[in-house]
Each structure stands twice: as C-alpha cells, then as structure tokens.
Amino acid sequence: MKIKLFFAFALFSILLISCREDNNPVENDEQIISTGFSDARVGEIFEENCTTSGCHGGTNPANGLSLETHGNLLLGSSSRKVGETSNGGGAVVVPYEPEKSLLYRMISGETTPVMPLGRNLLDAADVEIIKTWIEQGARDENDVVPELSGTDDVYVCSQNADYINVIDGELKNVLRTISTDFIAENDAPHMVKYSDGFIYATTIKSGKLLKINGSNFQIVTAVEGLGYPGMIQIDGSAGLAYVSRSSTAPGTYSTIYKIDINNMELLEEIVLPVEGIPHGIALTADGSKLYVANLTKNRVSVVNTSNGELITDVSLDSETDHQPMQAALSPDDKYLYISARGSGKLLVLDTDNMEVISSVGIGMGPMHIATSSDGSKIYLPAMMAGTVSVVDFDGSNWTKTNEISHPAMKMPHGCDITSDDRYLYVSCRNTEGMYSSPYPYADGTRPGLLFTIDLGTESVLKYQEIGAYGSGLTIRK
C-alpha cells in the first residue's frame, strides 16, 4: 500500500512539473515582474528578442544599452559609436513620446538600422504594445511614471523643433519634452530659465514669454506680443523678468522688456540710449542693475532696474568691432564678462568703472558663458571653432588653460554648470549637418546635440542627440 501511494505521489509530481514546463505561468510571471515593467508583455518582448548574449543584455550589452530591466532601460545607452567616437549615448525612451523615443523609432522602421539587428523583426502587435507602453508614460511595475530627480535637471531649447528638452540630473538623459508649438511656422524657443517651481522660455517667432509648471510641464500662461524675444534674466525675489531681443531679429531696437512674472504682465519697456540689437543681458545678485550688450553697436549699457534709468553707457572699442554677444557677471558682481562674437574674445570689464581690463582669445563665435561658483573658472563655447574654452581666474589674471573638443561637437551654443561645479552641459546647433546621426530621420532632420562635460577631467563624459538646433539652456539648481 505504501509503495502504491509513493508511486501515485511521484506520478502526480511529474505531471505537475510537466504542466509548469509546458505553460510556464509561475516562473515567467515572477521573472517578468522582476524586470520592472508595468506591462508584463513589454518585458517578455525584450527578453525574447533583445537581451540575448551579445545584444542588449549581460555584462557588456551592445552600445552600453541593457533592456533586461526597467531601471537599465532608463539608463539609456552609453557607448554608441559614431565614426571614431564611442561615447555617444542617451535616452532610448522618452515617457509619453514614442516618436521621440529612439527605441520605438528603431523597432518600427522609422530609422535605420531596424531592430532587432540580424533577427526577425517584431510583429506589428508587439511594436504596438511597446508604443502604447511609452504613450502611457513608460511606467514601472508599480505603475509609476519615471520622475525627474529635481537636482541639477537641465532644460534646453530645440529651436528648430518647437520643444524644450528636459534632462534628468541623475540619469543625464532626456526624460520629458515640452511642446512650444503655437503657430504654423516654427515658434523658435530660444532661451529658458528656472525660478521658484516654474520654467520660463522665450519663443522668437511667436513673440512669447512662456510660464511653464515645473512639475507637470504644462504651459500655465504667456506674455504675448513681444518683438523677437531673446535672452532672459529672472529676479525671483522681486517677481520680475527682463527679456532682450534675439540676435537674429530683423531691424533695430532700443528697449528691453520688464515683466511681472507673478501676473505675467508686461510692465514697461526700458529705453536704451541707442538702437541696435540689445541681446546679451546680465543682472546683479540683488537685482538692482541690468547690464545690456548691444550686439550691433559695440557697446554696453547699465540700467537702474528700480526706475529704468540709464546709469552709464560705454563703447567697447573704437577700432575693433567686437559684436558683444552674451553677458555674464562674476559671482561677486565685480566683473562683467562679454563674449565678443566679432573678435573671438572674452572681454572682462571692471564693473566699478566699466572699463575693459582684460581680454582672452577664445575662437570664432564665442557664445554663452558659465562661471564656477567661486568665480575661478569661466567656460565659453565657440560656435565656429567647435570647442569649449576654459579660462582660469587667479584673482588678478584671466588665462585660457584648456580647450575642450570632440569630433561630434558641432556649433556649440548654450552652456551652464551644475550646482556642485562637477558637470558642464553644452548644447550644439548642428544646423549645418556637420554631425551625421547614425539613426537618421526619414525627413532629413538634423538633430541638435547635448554634451555632458566632466569638469574634473575637463573631458566629454557623453553626448546625446536632442531636437533640432540646440540653443539656450539652464540648470535647475
């Protein structure tokens, strides 16, 4: 009797194991849940088609991209090879945005090469499952949409793509985009700033200053009817914004906009002594003075912001057409830095007497300026040179000590430095198409680029593609 019971139990055990091997309901469910995707089928698709050895799994996944877990996918790729370079990377999925997600573009055939590489392509149903998962926010197993870290997040305009890229400070990858599309032609988002929970952005062609909720990335309201708005300076404590003109604005102008950002109302136009293109602007820490660089008149004006009256107006040089492009103040407000587009220099003005006390050769087309928190380092991208200059300040002298370059750095434009002085982000226009994407758009769109530079080694940590014409950027600190 005991022998019969033993054989009966053994037979039942074999049948149970066989059933599990045939249907795999328990083991597969546990494995899929552990990968962390809200839709179990998404994890299955990646497991069946993408994470085999030599592809996007294991210890050395292709292009540094692992699709084994939701967390790994968010890390994106880290070693895409373009020509002789291999530190390209970035996000492969942008929540809610399948058309801006490289992974979807590659599995749907919207770019080449089509993935999975060298294997059977995904069937339409599986492609649609992944698309739907991205459209619903690329959620994890807890049904949570990936959120930004909130520290050193980066906002960078894509001027020819009508949106703002939002880069997570920890992942250093695009995690959201904000549409700025209002008119039939390109609105041209140009510059962006962050203050007290809101993102502010100018759109050159539609003439707006946008106020965007920094949590849900929805546009709250806008000041409209501005004439080719360009750069922005924010005085958060006073609830004010100062907006200059775009360097591409046609005609001449003699005013800067002063805007109440609490009520989003234009308060006045501050009148300058001469007409031209008042573009680069810098605001003192206490908000009392606004410095305005006139691109076409080779001069700098200083304005008392309390009453809008002119304090002084100086010519930079009677013999050299410097074309002052951008302006920035040292952390202690003692020095005004001017990037001189025409002469390829960094000009240093003593703010007490507004005289040029030093100049440093940068390269043709110097653009935005970033300074370290202690003022000892100044960084400037040079658009036509395709480099980022490092200028050291020892308390008395300014000296160019390094020139950071990279084969993919084409037409660098905007820059900003993280709160801990560890990383510098640099946007690139690439409007001439000197950088060719390994994953081209069918319509021939030339992507902009965003570089992350490690300031400890003063070298490129990685670069990633963003929307066309990377322009103004800022970091949430």
Side-chain angles (χ1 to χ4, degrees), residues 153-159 163-167 174 176-178 189-192 199 413-415 425-428 448-451 464 466-475:
D153 297 332
V154 184
Y155 310 94
V156 55
C157 296
S158 283
Q159 192 163 310
Y163 63 83
I164 299 167
N165 308 268
V166 182
I167 293 87
V174 176
R176 292 288 194 283
T177 64
I178 304 168
H190 179 66
M191 189 57 195
V192 61
I199 303 160
H413 181 115
C415 67
Y425 285 86
V426 177
S427 62
C428 290
L449 298 165
L450 181 67
F451 281 75
Q464 58 189 298
I466 56 174
Y469 193 148
S471 56
L473 70 82
T474 195
I475 296 177

Side-chain angles (χ1 to χ4, degrees), residues 139-154:
R139 298 169 185 264
D140 65 14
E141 61 188 347
N142 297 314
D143 205 35
V144 174
V145 177
E147 295 295 335
L148 275 79
S149 62
T151 301
D152 288 328
D153 297 332
V154 184

Side-chain angles (χ1 to χ4, degrees), residues 316-339:
L316 292 176
D317 195 329
S318 59
E319 297 181 357
T320 304
D321 183 16
H322 287 295
Q323 297 179 26
M325 184 70 177
Q326 300 291 352
L329 285 159
S330 61
D332 57 9
D333 289 339
K334 288 184 178 180
Y335 306 105
L336 178 69
Y337 298 122
I338 297 289
S339 59

Side-chain angles (χ1 to χ4, degrees), residues 165-462:
N165 308 268
V166 182
I167 293 87
D168 178 73
E170 290 185 3
L171 295 173
K172 299 178 177 58
N173 290 332
V174 176
L175 203 58
R176 292 288 194 283
T177 64
I178 304 168
S179 174
T180 59
D181 187 10
F182 301 99
I183 59 177
E185 64 177 315
N186 179 26
D187 291 74
H190 179 66
M191 189 57 195
V192 61
K193 289 289 185 180
Y194 181 92
S195 179
D196 295 328
F198 293 96
I199 303 160
Y200 298 88
T202 50
T203 58
I204 298 171
K205 293 184 180 179
S206 55
K208 299 175 185 288
L209 175 67
L210 306 176
K211 184 175 185 177
I212 303 163
N213 187 307
S215 297
N216 60 21
F217 309 112
Q218 299 299 305
I219 294 173
V220 178
T221 186
V223 176
E224 303 186 8
L226 306 180
Y228 302 96
M231 304 303 290
I232 310 168
Q233 285 292 314
I234 301 284
D235 182 352
S237 60
L240 296 171
Y242 299 90
V243 177
S244 70
R245 310 290 178 147
S246 165
S247 62
T248 60
T252 59
Y253 307 85
S254 61
T255 62
I256 295 291
Y257 297 112
K258 182 178 181 179
I259 294 169
D260 177 345
I261 56 175
N262 293 323
N263 299 308
M264 289 299 283
E265 295 178 352
L266 176 61
L267 298 177
E268 65 173 310
E269 292 190 46
I270 299 173
V271 180
L272 303 172
V274 296
E275 290 190 343
I277 303 293
H279 180 59
I281 53 177
L283 188 67
T284 54
D286 63 4
S288 64
K289 294 179 183 179
L290 182 71
Y291 295 83
V292 183
N294 194 317
L295 177 64
T296 58
K297 296 300 181 181
N298 209 30
R299 45 197 318 122
V300 175
S301 301
V302 187
V303 176
N304 183 327
T305 57
S306 64
N307 56 22
E309 294 182 358
L310 183 71
I311 297 173
T312 189
D313 178 76
V314 298
S315 176
L316 292 176
D317 195 329
S318 59
E319 297 181 357
T320 304
D321 183 16
H322 287 295
Q323 297 179 26
M325 184 70 177
Q326 300 291 352
L329 285 159
S330 61
D332 57 9
D333 289 339
K334 288 184 178 180
Y335 306 105
L336 178 69
Y337 298 122
I338 297 289
S339 59
R341 185 178 72 177
S343 59
K345 294 180 178 180
L346 169 68
L347 304 180
V348 183
L349 283 75
D350 183 329
T351 56
D352 285 337
N353 54 32
M354 289 303 292
E355 291 183 355
V356 176
I357 58 173
S358 183
S359 66
V360 182
I362 298 301
M364 291 311 296
M367 294 293 291
H368 292 199
I369 305 166
T371 62
S372 61
S373 57
D374 64 359
S376 65
K377 297 276 189 179
I378 302 100
Y379 305 94
L380 292 89
M383 180 181 295
M384 304 314 295
T387 59
V388 176
S389 290
V390 182
V391 176
D392 281 18
F393 175 51
D394 63 6
S396 302
N397 301 295
W398 290 263
T399 307
K400 181 177 172 179
T401 57
N402 196 8
E403 196 171 74
I404 303 168
S405 62
H406 189 279
M409 189 179 287
K410 305 303 180 183
M411 304 177 72
H413 181 115
C415 67
D416 201 2
I417 189 171
T418 55
S419 58
D420 58 4
D421 292 335
R422 186 174 179 185
Y423 299 105
L424 179 77
Y425 285 86
V426 177
S427 62
C428 290
R429 293 184 182 183
N430 191 41
T431 51
E432 302 301 319
M434 293 178 284
Y435 164 86
S436 296
S437 173
Y439 317 110
Y441 286 85
D443 62 2
T445 295
R446 298 165 178 164
L449 298 165
L450 181 67
F451 281 75
T452 307
I453 295 174
D454 184 332
L455 294 180
T457 60
E458 293 186 354
S459 62
V460 173
L461 177 67
K462 77 171 183 180

